[in-house]
Amino acid sequence: MENIFLTYENDTKEQYRSMIAETAQAVTEAFTDDRAYAGPTPDELKKLIHVDDILPEQGAGWETVLERLKKQILPNFLRTPSTDYMAHLHSAATLESIASELILSTFNQSMDSWDQAPVATEVEVEVIKKLCAMYGYKNNADGVLTSGGSQSNQTALLLARDWFISKKMGYDVKKHGLPADFTKLRMYTSEISHFSMEKSAHIMGMGYESVVKVPVDERQRMDVDALKRLIDADIKAGNIPYCVVATIGTTDFGSIDPVEALSEICREHGMWLHADAAYGSGVIMSQKYARRVAGLSECDSITVDFHKMFMLPISCSAVLIKDGKDFDALTIHADYLNREEDEEDGYTNLVDKSMQTTRRFDAIKVWVSFQVRGKDGWSALISKCMDNAAHLYGVLKADADFDVVTEPEISSVVFRLSPSFCAKLRDSAAGSDADVKKSVADSSGESCDDVNKRVRRALIHKQGVVIGQTVCGGNVYLKFTLLNPLLTYEKLESLLRLIKSLA
């Protein structure tokens, strides 16, 4: 049989080296310019990637399929390292972390039991210890790697619920299911927090109604006074507040909720405080800006994402718990997996802390990238992204052709072509040549929202530039999510000029 695995035998090693080298060559050849996207529309892509049968009667072989990859797939990938990509909390991946991906995929460890991932288990334990120390937790803290921010948030909210019901209500959810009055439980989160709060509530059997959305202030941060009023009202109504979620970097604005004030409220009411720092967790690495996330150690749990500001490949996230004993809610023993006698003898089975069973060795990407870059390297990268956002905000604020929502706290800037600019577009038709007059006349019925939407589509399909779009105050806005430290002030200013010209 043809070689199918990498083994100790020389011919398999040679085939492995050859296939990896050929793949690397094909990938590098796909980077032909700095555009983020080649431009095909959805319909065009469907035709481009079509093959007669994805599962043919007889295999076509590696070389044939590689050629198809080169022609149909690789040229049409979104290129996240491009300085023309800034749509989402979705970063490029550092070179050393891509090399780490090769290692973890080749060895294919499963992080549920020690005997499936011996050295990988010990590495993850060390990575978690370092992360807990970074965010100010003490020795009794613990954590686990997850698939992403949504799973980290759900894990924390599940532990928060079970902790509260056990400690405050004297009831064991793990054994008996939810108590009779579970519909009265309430958690509080910003009205612009991540949708994983509602999704988690649904999955946990509590429903969207258990999630109370708190208004935000003019800086897009949770309004503390509004939170106090909502908690008081719920208590008077017979509901049971159990958790507050502080968003440390909202998805659109990067706004940071006031952790210290929220911590005081939670202590007063005996509630759990979770920090969804999927976005803002990276700020801790910046010597210049770390103070903006001060106070995270006051939280009972923290979501950390490494495939956002930390620039590691998807997927790579973690949830940290201030008191590691709270992970007991997820522990269940199976004779085939996490035998109690093994754990008594020092074998760590990480499935005891995870909602997943089979799980990737993502911790190696953190282990490698932290050592390669060091504190100084990471500080420079993340500070540059935040400096770019501050500069862009200043430029937008000084230009009447744009509206900008709020000063960025991290690296996201939300703005739009202003109504006055859109009005100027229509007025300009009077003194233009015939072609321009026709163009303006064709779009004269456009609202300001329509203009901004049209510009974003033109950027994608005509320029290969991919930016974000959202809604604020009922109006359509554009968004630059600046996670690429290769971006310069000059490039940002040129993109603003391009946006005007496309409009």
Side-chain angles (χ1 to χ4, degrees), residues 105-282:
S105 296
T106 299
F107 285 95
N108 199 34
Q109 310 292 277
S110 183
M111 300 303 299
D112 39 331
S113 63
W114 192 94
D115 60 3
Q116 295 180 83
V119 71
T121 295
E122 303 304 339
V123 168
E124 179 164 327
V125 169
E126 288 299 306
V127 166
I128 290 295
K129 285 180 181 178
K130 180 59 181 177
L131 294 174
C132 288
M134 276 173 51
Y135 292 99
Y137 278 177
K138 305 300 182 184
N139 291 336
N140 60 332
D142 205 349
V144 69
L145 272 288
T146 72
S147 66
S150 292
Q151 188 180 77
S152 291
N153 287 334
Q154 185 182 340
T155 301
L157 294 173
L158 177 69
L159 298 183
R161 183 198 66 185
D162 287 13
W163 166 84
F164 183 90
I165 292 175
S166 174
K167 299 293 184 184
K168 308 296 181 180
M169 302 171 67
Y171 184 88
D172 191 336
V173 176
K174 189 173 178 180
K175 288 183 179 179
H176 307 301
L178 292 171
D181 53 356
F182 77 91
T183 57
K184 297 179 180 179
L185 290 166
R186 295 291 182 268
M187 68 165 155
Y188 304 82
T189 183
S190 158
E191 65 182 353
I192 56 172
S193 65
H194 195 258
F195 69 84
S196 57
M197 306 310 153
E198 290 96 321
K199 181 176 282 189
S200 295
H202 169 217
I203 293 170
M204 294 192 302
M206 297 165 64
Y208 291 174
E209 289 183 359
S210 68
V211 183
V212 181
K213 304 308 285 283
V214 183
V216 295
D217 61 21
E218 69 281 356
R219 296 292 305 277
Q220 308 302 312
R221 297 177 293 194
M222 187 188 292
D223 185 325
V224 174
D225 290 333
L227 172 65
K228 292 177 181 177
R229 290 192 295 271
L230 287 166
I231 291 174
D232 289 342
D234 270 326
I235 292 172
K236 289 177 182 177
N239 292 320
I240 307 171
Y242 79 95
C243 178
V244 173
V245 178
T247 305
I248 313 302
T250 55
T251 303
D252 277 338
F253 306 102
S255 44
I256 298 173
D257 289 341
V259 172
E260 291 86 351
L262 300 182
S263 176
E264 291 180 9
I265 294 170
C266 286
R267 284 197 298 269
E268 177 185 350
H269 293 283
M271 301 165 67
W272 182 291
L273 177 59
H274 172 59
D276 175 11
Y279 180 5
S281 50

Side-chain angles (χ1 to χ4, degrees), residues 394-406:
V395 173
L396 290 165
K397 193 72 174 173
D399 190 337
D401 291 340
F402 293 103
D403 288 339
V404 60
V405 175
T406 187

